[in-house]
Amino acid sequence: MQVSFFFYKIYLGFNSFVYLNTKISILYILYELMEEKQIIEQTSLTPRDINSLIVKSISDPIIVLDRQFHYVYMNQAAEELTGWSAEQLLGNNIFIMHSFLSGSSLETSCKKAIADQKYIYLEQYYPNYDAWTEYHLYPNEKGIVINFKNISVNKQHENEALKLIK
């Protein structure tokens, strides 16, 4: 996965001058778009360091799958939510390791996201676990990044609100 990003350098300035016997003051803002290459040159970070910092800074559960749906990366939040360690899952196919996901909306949506190269949002209910999961699927040329969380409590509150309305 390659992540590109940009930063802006912003310069503020103030200038006054007289024109036709009138004092004119100007506040100006200049900005310079800095590309990743410039940022790397101004710091000692490599692109790999930058990517690592970005991924490690994400506190939501994240897993990364290759195009064949093998685990490539799993952050600590994902380990905590699933109860599986990255070491147990890396290199394994998500839909084989977790048979309840095989044929699910998640599998269909992952395939569609990768084929179309478009983001997909999905909510999935798992009756065997009485749990709702929210998925954000971010495809790329190498596979897919999945951000997910348990939304069972939210769904319970929604159902209670609907009962009160009826």
Side-chain angles (χ1 to χ4, degrees), residues 4 12 18 38 45 52 63 75 77 79 84 102 105 137 157 161 164:
S4 294
L12 295 176
V18 176
Q38 292 171 300
L45 298 175
S52 178
I63 60 172
N75 71 0
E79 289 180 328
W84 291 81
S102 183
S105 296
L137 309 176
H157 291 275
L164 289 174

Side-chain angles (χ1 to χ4, degrees), residues 63 65 69-74 78-79 82-94 97-98:
I63 60 172
L65 306 173
F69 305 109
H70 297 108
Y71 284 93
V72 176
Y73 175 81
M74 181 178 197
E79 289 180 328
T82 64
W84 291 81
S85 72
E87 290 78 29
Q88 292 172 301
L89 298 177
L90 292 179
N92 290 298
N93 181 295
I94 188 172
M97 283 294 293
H98 312 291

